[in-house]
Amino acid sequence: MTPSIKTLYETIDYTWPSASIQVNQGWLVKNGLGGGKRVSATLQLDPQANIKNAEKMMEALGQNYLFMIRENDSVLDHKLDKLGYDLIDPVVIFCSPISLIDKSIKGVFHSKPNTIMKRIWLNGGVSSARLNIMKRTKVSKTFILIDNKAVAFVAIHNDIAMFHALEVLKEYRREGLAKKIMQQINVWASTNGAKFISAVSVKDNIPARNLYLSIGTVSYTHLTLPTNREG
């Protein structure tokens, strides 16, 4: 049985964590420390929670107003729309049993990123703040490098190996490196007890979506949440 959407939401939070969170007045407010939307978006815990209170807490952190709209958050979505919040970055969550993916490739894995990995990520727009997210991830994790040209970060929670920040140097794209790194992700995941492999992609990122589908990864195409609303 494939993981529930609730389980996948939790896996995202554990494998790509915020710097800190605060739960107050019906909201879970994330401090992303500049690491992007996924670690900075506020979640509603109580359907009756006042949006103004959440905005004040985000202001106190020096963050933009940003709410994550997840399954069953349609009322919040409607309220934010009425307040003029823009709908941004709908995503697709990909998930597949590991057994459906080729395991024949041997992998070489790293406990922390080396200089080459950091350079590839920074050249690809993965900021130092996002590298810090990888550093503070507490669950089982690894860093994968292919031919000094492609890199990815992988972590496991709930028997799900979720990979993030898969990046290939621009001049070496379309050479099959992304598929090679996907195969190594699979090897590490299966060796470390994961049953599923998963990733999150912005819906409009067609190259990433095509890659995940090309190696047999199943897409929850009907679950285009979480989505963000930004004010």
Side-chain angles (χ1 to χ4, degrees), residues 68-105:
M68 185 176 289
I69 309 300
R70 303 188 297 181
E71 192 174 46
N72 300 321
D73 281 343
S74 58
V75 174
L76 173 62
D77 189 25
H78 179 72
K79 288 179 178 179
L80 292 170
D81 183 47
K82 290 294 185 181
L83 290 171
Y85 274 72
D86 293 325
L87 185 66
I88 57 172
D89 293 348
V91 307
V92 178
I93 302 176
F94 295 82
C95 187
S96 173
I98 286 178
S99 60
L100 297 180
I101 305 173
D102 180 15
K103 299 184 190 179
S104 63
I105 305 300

XYZ file of all heavy atoms in Angstrom, residues 68-105:
301
model
N 0.902 27.400 3.572
C 0.845 26.182 2.786
C -0.581 25.649 2.800
O -1.186 25.486 3.856
C 1.800 25.118 3.330
C 1.866 23.863 2.469
S 3.079 22.649 3.071
C 4.617 23.496 2.666
N -1.105 25.400 1.618
C -2.455 24.871 1.465
C -2.345 23.376 1.187
O -1.857 22.961 0.132
C -3.210 25.555 0.312
C -3.129 27.078 0.451
C -4.644 25.078 0.255
C -3.727 27.615 1.724
N -2.790 22.557 2.134
C -2.708 21.117 1.985
C -4.107 20.521 1.799
O -5.100 21.235 1.753
C -2.012 20.504 3.203
C -0.621 21.078 3.434
C 0.141 20.350 4.510
N -0.515 20.466 5.803
C -0.044 19.934 6.937
N 1.087 19.240 6.910
N -0.683 20.091 8.075
N -4.147 19.220 1.659
C -5.431 18.556 1.520
C -6.337 18.937 2.704
O -5.890 19.025 3.842
C -5.198 17.041 1.501
C -6.413 16.239 1.073
C -6.078 14.768 0.938
O -5.412 14.213 1.836
O -6.485 14.168 -0.058
N -7.591 19.198 2.405
C -8.598 19.585 3.403
C -8.448 21.029 3.891
O -9.094 21.410 4.871
C -8.588 18.641 4.612
C -8.889 17.206 4.219
O -9.744 16.970 3.363
N -8.193 16.251 4.825
N -7.628 21.830 3.223
C -7.462 23.241 3.596
C -8.242 24.174 2.661
O -7.868 25.331 2.461
C -5.976 23.635 3.559
C -5.218 23.184 4.789
O -5.853 22.862 5.805
O -3.970 23.145 4.727
N -9.327 23.689 2.077
C -10.043 24.491 1.081
C -10.648 25.766 1.681
O -10.706 26.807 1.014
C -11.148 23.656 0.424
O -12.051 23.164 1.396
N -11.082 25.703 2.947
C -11.657 26.900 3.580
C -10.579 27.970 3.756
O -10.797 29.156 3.451
C -12.307 26.545 4.930
C -12.756 27.814 5.648
C -13.495 25.605 4.721
N -9.408 27.558 4.230
C -8.290 28.500 4.365
C -7.916 29.066 3.002
O -7.670 30.276 2.866
C -7.087 27.798 4.990
C -5.792 28.607 5.048
C -5.959 29.850 5.912
C -4.635 27.748 5.561
N -7.874 28.220 2.007
C -7.543 28.660 0.652
C -8.516 29.744 0.197
O -8.105 30.774 -0.355
C -7.603 27.449 -0.287
C -7.067 27.745 -1.663
O -6.233 28.662 -1.804
O -7.468 27.052 -2.618
N -9.783 29.540 0.448
C -10.802 30.517 0.049
C -10.625 31.836 0.803
O -10.704 32.915 0.211
C -12.195 29.933 0.315
C -13.311 30.862 -0.031
N -13.657 31.171 -1.334
C -14.167 31.580 0.766
C -14.663 32.021 -1.324
N -14.992 32.283 -0.072
N -10.364 31.757 2.098
C -10.189 32.976 2.895
C -8.985 33.785 2.417
O -9.044 35.013 2.306
C -10.010 32.611 4.369
C -11.266 32.112 5.056
C -10.980 31.762 6.513
C -12.239 31.298 7.234
N -11.942 30.927 8.654
N -7.886 33.089 2.147
C -6.681 33.788 1.689
C -6.896 34.404 0.315
O -6.393 35.496 0.016
C -5.494 32.815 1.664
C -5.015 32.340 3.040
C -4.003 31.211 2.881
C -4.391 33.493 3.830
N -7.638 33.712 -0.534
C -7.962 34.252 -1.853
C -8.741 35.552 -1.712
O -8.456 36.538 -2.400
C -8.766 33.219 -2.634
C -9.077 33.675 -4.049
O -8.159 34.153 -4.736
O -10.245 33.568 -4.470
N -9.697 35.580 -0.792
C -10.495 36.780 -0.560
C -9.644 37.935 -0.030
O -9.952 39.108 -0.262
C -11.623 36.480 0.429
C -12.711 35.576 -0.112
C -13.484 36.235 -1.234
C -14.647 35.386 -1.683
N -15.390 36.024 -2.813
N -8.565 37.603 0.679
C -7.671 38.624 1.217
C -6.632 39.088 0.197
O -5.798 39.935 0.496
C -6.962 38.089 2.463
C -7.840 37.890 3.710
C -7.058 37.154 4.792
C -8.333 39.239 4.234
N -6.660 38.503 -1.002
C -5.760 38.935 -2.056
C -4.451 38.170 -2.134
O -3.530 38.581 -2.847
N -4.360 37.056 -1.435
C -3.144 36.250 -1.502
C -3.021 35.584 -2.870
O -3.997 35.075 -3.420
C -3.164 35.164 -0.423
C -2.649 35.623 0.925
C -3.398 36.489 1.721
C -1.415 35.190 1.401
C -2.937 36.906 2.958
C -0.945 35.601 2.643
C -1.703 36.454 3.411
O -1.235 36.861 4.638
N -1.813 35.579 -3.405
C -1.551 34.932 -4.687
C -1.334 33.432 -4.507
O -0.715 32.988 -3.534
C -0.297 35.521 -5.345
C -0.489 36.968 -5.751
O -1.613 37.331 -6.156
O 0.486 37.746 -5.654
N -1.817 32.667 -5.465
C -1.588 31.228 -5.474
C -0.274 30.959 -6.195
O -0.098 31.364 -7.349
C -2.736 30.531 -6.197
C -2.725 29.005 -6.200
C -2.923 28.467 -4.797
C -3.818 28.475 -7.132
N 0.675 30.295 -5.522
C 1.988 30.073 -6.127
C 2.458 28.638 -5.897
O 2.097 27.990 -4.925
C 3.057 31.034 -5.554
C 3.143 30.900 -4.030
C 2.755 32.474 -5.950
C 4.301 31.662 -3.432
N 3.249 28.160 -6.830
C 4.000 26.910 -6.706
C 3.180 25.684 -6.312
O 3.520 24.980 -5.357
C 5.144 27.081 -5.701
C 6.213 28.028 -6.186
O 6.184 28.372 -7.386
O 7.065 28.437 -5.387
N 2.121 25.354 -7.043
C 1.492 24.053 -6.799
C 2.506 22.953 -7.119
O 3.319 23.091 -8.031
C 0.317 24.032 -7.779
C 0.665 25.021 -8.834
C 1.485 26.085 -8.161
N 2.463 21.881 -6.352
C 3.464 20.827 -6.524
C 2.811 19.477 -6.742
O 1.628 19.272 -6.484
C 4.412 20.740 -5.309
C 5.026 22.082 -4.987
C 3.681 20.180 -4.093
N 3.617 18.553 -7.223
C 3.237 17.156 -7.364
C 4.168 16.336 -6.490
O 5.383 16.559 -6.481
C 3.344 16.694 -8.833
C 2.995 15.211 -8.948
C 2.428 17.522 -9.719
N 3.606 15.399 -5.733
C 4.405 14.499 -4.912
C 4.520 13.169 -5.650
O 3.506 12.571 -6.030
C 3.777 14.284 -3.530
C 3.613 15.628 -2.811
C 4.625 13.338 -2.693
C 2.899 15.522 -1.474
N 5.751 12.726 -5.860
C 6.013 11.464 -6.532
C 6.367 10.405 -5.499
O 7.108 10.684 -4.552
C 7.175 11.607 -7.516
C 6.895 12.528 -8.664
C 7.020 13.898 -8.526
C 6.486 12.035 -9.885
C 6.758 14.761 -9.578
C 6.219 12.876 -10.949
C 6.356 14.242 -10.805
N 5.870 9.191 -5.702
C 6.191 8.119 -4.766
C 6.066 6.782 -5.477
O 5.136 6.577 -6.271
C 5.261 8.172 -3.565
S 5.685 7.018 -2.244
N 7.011 5.889 -5.204
C 6.981 4.577 -5.829
C 7.607 3.544 -4.917
O 8.571 3.842 -4.201
C 7.764 4.607 -7.148
O 7.883 3.299 -7.689
N 7.089 2.312 -4.918
C 7.787 1.231 -4.220
C 9.173 1.026 -4.826
O 9.334 1.070 -6.039
C 6.895 0.005 -4.468
C 5.568 0.567 -4.824
C 5.837 1.860 -5.538
N 10.157 0.820 -3.998
C 11.522 0.667 -4.488
C 11.659 -0.529 -5.416
O 12.456 -0.518 -6.346
C 12.503 0.584 -3.299
C 12.653 1.975 -2.686
C 13.865 0.046 -3.719
C 13.548 2.050 -1.485
N 10.875 -1.538 -5.196
C 10.988 -2.742 -6.005
C 10.718 -2.499 -7.489
O 11.094 -3.309 -8.333
C 10.026 -3.811 -5.489
O 8.692 -3.356 -5.559
N 10.076 -1.376 -7.811
C 9.771 -1.071 -9.204
C 10.930 -0.410 -9.936
O 10.845 -0.154 -11.123
C 8.549 -0.147 -9.277
C 7.235 -0.700 -8.740
C 6.134 0.329 -8.894
C 6.862 -1.992 -9.435
N 12.014 -0.148 -9.221
C 13.132 0.590 -9.810
C 14.376 -0.295 -9.857
O 14.612 -1.098 -8.972
C 13.420 1.865 -8.990
C 12.141 2.701 -8.877
C 14.511 2.705 -9.641
C 12.269 3.886 -7.950
N 15.161 -0.166 -10.903
C 16.359 -0.980 -11.097
C 17.329 -0.830 -9.932
O 17.703 0.272 -9.558
C 17.036 -0.547 -12.402
C 18.296 -1.340 -12.697
O 18.495 -2.390 -12.066
O 19.068 -0.904 -13.567
N 17.779 -1.963 -9.363
C 18.694 -1.946 -8.232
C 20.096 -2.424 -8.605
O 20.914 -2.706 -7.743
C 18.172 -2.843 -7.104
C 16.844 -2.467 -6.515
C 16.551 -3.402 -5.350
C 15.124 -3.246 -4.865
N 14.829 -4.172 -3.748
N 20.383 -2.555 -9.864
C 21.620 -3.213 -10.290
C 22.862 -2.343 -10.152
O 23.986 -2.849 -10.214
C 21.483 -3.656 -11.749
O 21.311 -2.520 -12.596
N 22.700 -1.065 -9.981
C 23.844 -0.157 -9.947
C 24.399 -0.046 -8.528
O 23.665 0.135 -7.573
C 23.437 1.243 -10.446
C 22.799 1.153 -11.833
C 24.640 2.184 -10.472
C 23.696 0.571 -12.897
